[in-house]
């Protein structure tokens, strides 16, 4: 990667880029607040008649398949088309593609037409989207799916053929670049899985870093930062409610030097 994680966080806070997020109402408030805490400026517009215009003024676009509606599905395409036309980078969060054929077909079509720079999902969702896994129960990753063996090979080939960086979230996060480079990020805490929307927050934080960096380093930086903030928040939280507030505080107070020094990032050594 050409820049350190801390340098990217410093750039994010210095430039304060506008990040357009078309996400779901379950997590929209937390997503907006996380972007603000990290240093960016969120806008959460989703009406089909305005998203193209707004996307054209943004520094990055994050779209999310959680809790889809007809209007939101239309808006994500319109925003994606506008982004591609003017060179605004895009992150697609493929929430629930393993539990709904509607979402799976939509995501596959979105990949073909919009060609987002980063595709994010939990490990099971990415495997379902690629076609090497059949179905899921709900939107949570299957505990049997792990970043090893044939799974690593599948994600590497998915990234190469799509020409996009993949961000696979889980107990260990994985980032896969089209040129074959692979990173594992071991920051995080198990309590984060008890708070809805942390995956959506990772999506928009990736978009924020994508506004100031390349896709690979944006995905790594976002995974490391959110995981590190989760670790810090869990040390003082009594449960998911207090974790939510502490997570935002941790993102606001984290320094570039701390991100560089405490990020548990390394190339994959296996598979």
């Amino acid at each position: 990667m050409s820049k350190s994680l801390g340098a990217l966080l410093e750039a994010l806070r210095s430039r304060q880029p506008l990040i357009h997020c078309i996400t779901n109402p379950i997590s929209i408030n937390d997503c907006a607040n996380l972007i603000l805490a990290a240093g960016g400026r969120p806008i959460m517009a989703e009406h089909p008649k305005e998203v193209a215009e707004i996307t054209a003024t943004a520094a990055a676009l994050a779209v999310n398949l959680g809790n889809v509606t007809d209007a939101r599905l239309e808006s994500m395409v319109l925003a994606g088309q506008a982004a591609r036309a003017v060179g605004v980078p895009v992150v697609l969060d493929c929430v629930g593609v393993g539990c709904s054929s509607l979402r799976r077909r939509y995501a596959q079509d979105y990949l073909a037409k919009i060609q987002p720079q980063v595709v994010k999902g939990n490990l099971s969702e990415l495997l379902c989207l690629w076609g090497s896994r059949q179905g899921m129960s709900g939107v949570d990753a299957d505990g049997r799916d792990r970043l090893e063996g044939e799974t690593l090979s599948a994600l590497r080939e998915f990234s190469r053929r799509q020409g996009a960086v993949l961000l696979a979230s889980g107990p260990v996060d994985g980032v896969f670049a089209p040129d074959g480079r692979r990173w594992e990020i071991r920051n995080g805490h198990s309590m984060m899985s008890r708070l809805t929307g942390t995956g959506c927050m990772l999506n928009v934080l990736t978009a924020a870093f994508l506004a100031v960096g390349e896709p690979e380093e944006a995905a790594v930086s976002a995974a490391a930062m959110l995981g590190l903030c989760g670790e810090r928040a869990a040390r003082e939280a009594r449960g998911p409610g207090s974790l939510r507030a502490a997570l935002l505080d941790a993102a606001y107070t984290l320094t570039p030097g701390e991100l560089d020094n405490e990020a548990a990032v390394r190339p994959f050594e296996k598979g």
Side-chain angles (χ1 to χ4, degrees), residues 122-226:
N122 65 44
L123 182 54
S124 300
E125 287 167 342
L126 290 177
L127 291 175
C128 286
L129 188 56
W130 176 238
S132 61
R133 195 184 196 289
Q134 299 299 315
M136 294 169 58
S137 175
V139 298
D140 297 319
D142 191 311
R144 297 170 295 177
D145 293 326
R146 302 183 183 280
L147 285 169
E148 57 188 26
E150 293 182 359
T151 294
L152 291 176
S153 299
L155 295 179
R156 180 176 57 206
E157 185 63 11
F158 185 2
S159 176
R160 185 187 70 80
R161 291 196 187 182
Q162 182 60 37
V165 168
L166 303 184
L167 171 52
S169 62
V172 176
D173 296 325
V175 172
F176 300 79
D179 63 4
R181 285 184 294 186
R182 303 173 298 175
W183 303 90
E184 63 176 12
I185 302 95
R186 291 186 172 270
N187 295 105
H189 193 279
S190 60
M191 195 187 296
M192 296 172 72
S193 67
R194 297 296 180 179
L195 179 64
T196 188
T198 52
C200 304
M201 294 166 79
L202 177 57
N203 180 45
V204 301
L205 186 58
T206 301
F209 278 114
L210 189 57
V212 297
E214 297 300 317
E216 180 182 353
E217 57 194 16
V220 171
S221 298
M225 179 173 175
L226 188 64

Side-chain angles (χ1 to χ4, degrees), residues 223-234:
M225 179 173 175
L226 188 64
L228 180 55
C229 290
E231 293 172 3
R232 293 183 167 201

Side-chain angles (χ1 to χ4, degrees), residues 42 65 74 76 128 142 257:
L65 293 182
E74 180 184 359
M76 288 192 288
C128 286
D142 191 311

